Amino acid sequence: VRGSNCSVVGLVSAIFSISMEKETESSVSSGLEAQSDIEANPLEDLVSKLRKPGGIEIKDRNYVFSKYPKCFKGNELVDWLIKNEVCSTREAALAKGQELLEGDYIHHATDAYGFKDEPLFYRFRVDDVGISGPSVASLKKDSTAYHGPLSVKDLLLWHPRYFVLKKDQKKLYSFDNEFSSTPRSVVDLSSSNLIMSDYKNGSYCFTINEGDKRSHVFCATKSQVQEAWVDQLVSVGVQFKEEELYVTANSIFEFTAKDIDGNDTPLSKFKGQVCIVVNVASE
């Protein structure tokens, strides 16, 4: 009987011990998950502190003849980060400011610069008014988005632009630069095709035909950049078409024409001879 009591006591003790271990593991797991949630958005926590009383000074500012509402200065943010021991050096604070900009929490008041340790005006995204977006930074949060600079032709002139390919939307966004808040235009790729083209000397170009709407010419400075963009566009369903012969041909001998009997005749058979091409009004 005494042995049985010991066995029962031992069994109860073992069960209690296992229960306590599981409870401890659960508590530790919950604690880690809570800690993970806190650490998952450190920039949001920093933004919250910056905007609270005791944070950085946010106010309407003037420069030359323009007014910029609800802004702060870049160098003052650097000062605040060091003073509040978020960063130990100005270099580290500069990197933190750029991180906030790339995370789409802040942006330059005119979208002309990245983050700088200078008295330039910056604004929190939550304080923006009249900006429809999406911004470059917000689109680049999607790890599958492809982006980079290209030149585009607008009427007679070429202009540098920054592009973001949003694959899940099958859309190509065009911006003034990599810091822009709102796209200049958006190309719908759902029923588009592209061809390699040579529109600008010293550049590597391609043309996107946007369904029945219009054509867009893009140029890169390197062939590798051109090829990379073409591969990315094709990956979202843009149809690749070979360039028309009349664009790539170096001479008339690359063409085929109908003879008087309606048979296809390669003009290469006349190579080395004097040829006259005449436009005739015949049926």
Side-chain angles (χ1 to χ4, degrees):
V1 175
R2 182 175 299 176
S4 298
N5 288 339
C6 289
S7 298
V8 171
V9 171
L11 178 60
V12 171
S13 177
I15 293 173
F16 179 77
S17 178
I18 293 172
S19 176
M20 288 298 293
E21 286 179 3
K22 288 185 176 180
E23 184 176 348
T24 302
E25 288 176 0
S26 177
S27 298
V28 171
S29 177
S30 299
L32 289 174
E33 289 175 1
Q35 183 179 1
S36 176
D37 290 339
I38 295 173
E39 294 177 352
N41 298 301
L43 293 180
E44 290 185 6
D45 182 55
L46 176 58
V47 168
S48 177
K49 292 178 180 177
L50 286 167
R51 294 176 53 77
K52 288 180 179 178
I56 196 167
E57 184 180 27
I58 302 171
K59 65 179 184 179
D60 295 350
R61 301 175 187 268
N62 297 284
Y63 182 74
V64 189
F65 301 109
S66 298
K67 182 178 180 180
Y68 301 94
K70 296 184 179 180
C71 290
F72 61 89
K73 293 182 179 180
N75 59 328
E76 293 180 357
L77 174 56
V78 171
D79 293 338
W80 189 94
L81 292 172
I82 294 175
K83 179 181 178 181
N84 289 271
E85 299 182 348
V86 177
C87 301
S88 57
T89 66
R90 299 196 78 82
E91 291 75 15
L94 178 64
K96 182 63 69 175
Q98 183 63 25
E99 191 177 352
L100 287 168
L101 188 141
E102 293 177 356
D104 204 37
Y105 295 100
I106 65 173
H107 68 107
H108 182 256
T110 63
D111 294 328
Y113 303 99
F115 185 75
K116 293 190 176 186
D117 183 7
E118 298 177 15
L120 299 175
F121 298 162
Y122 293 87
R123 184 184 300 116
F124 287 100
R125 284 291 183 195
V126 294
D127 291 328
D128 281 339
V129 176
I131 297 179
S132 58
S135 65
V136 172
S138 67
L139 293 175
K140 287 169 65 175
K141 285 183 176 181
D142 179 0
S143 60
T144 65
Y146 189 76
H147 51 87
L150 291 168
S151 294
V152 296
K153 192 173 185 180
D154 183 10
L155 296 178
L156 299 176
L157 301 176
W158 289 92
H159 303 278
R161 297 280 186 256
Y162 197 87
F163 292 89
V164 180
L165 172 59
K166 198 70 168 59
K167 295 183 178 181
D168 59 334
Q169 299 176 3
K170 292 189 177 182
K171 291 183 178 180
L172 182 63
Y173 291 82
S174 170
F175 297 88
D176 284 325
N177 58 49
E178 61 182 303
F179 312 116
S180 296
S181 295
T182 303
R184 291 180 62 90
S185 62
V186 182
V187 179
D188 183 2
L189 303 173
S190 58
S191 58
S192 299
N193 61 70
L194 69 83
I195 59 173
M196 298 293 215
S197 51
D198 184 17
Y199 283 90
K200 186 180 179 184
N201 291 335
S203 295
Y204 302 86
C205 307
F206 58 92
T207 300
I208 294 179
N209 300 305
E210 189 180 2
D212 298 328
K213 297 179 181 179
R214 56 172 299 188
S215 296
H216 310 269
V217 181
F218 307 85
C219 285
T221 56
K222 297 180 179 179
S223 61
Q224 297 93 326
V225 175
Q226 176 202 45
E227 293 170 2
W229 271 105
V230 169
D231 288 344
Q232 293 293 328
L233 290 164
V234 170
S235 73
V236 298
V238 178
Q239 297 297 313
F240 181 79
K241 294 178 62 178
E242 295 292 339
E243 197 164 21
E244 298 292 344
L245 183 58
Y246 71 86
V247 177
T248 61
N250 295 312
S251 73
I252 65 169
F253 303 114
E254 297 181 38
F255 291 86
T256 297
K258 299 287 186 181
D259 63 15
I260 195 169
D261 297 317
N263 299 316
D264 289 333
T265 303
L267 299 186
S268 58
K269 68 182 294 185
F270 303 110
K271 195 169 185 179
Q273 302 179 40
V274 176
C275 298
I276 300 177
V277 179
V278 181
N279 181 27
V280 296
S282 60
E283 294 183 359

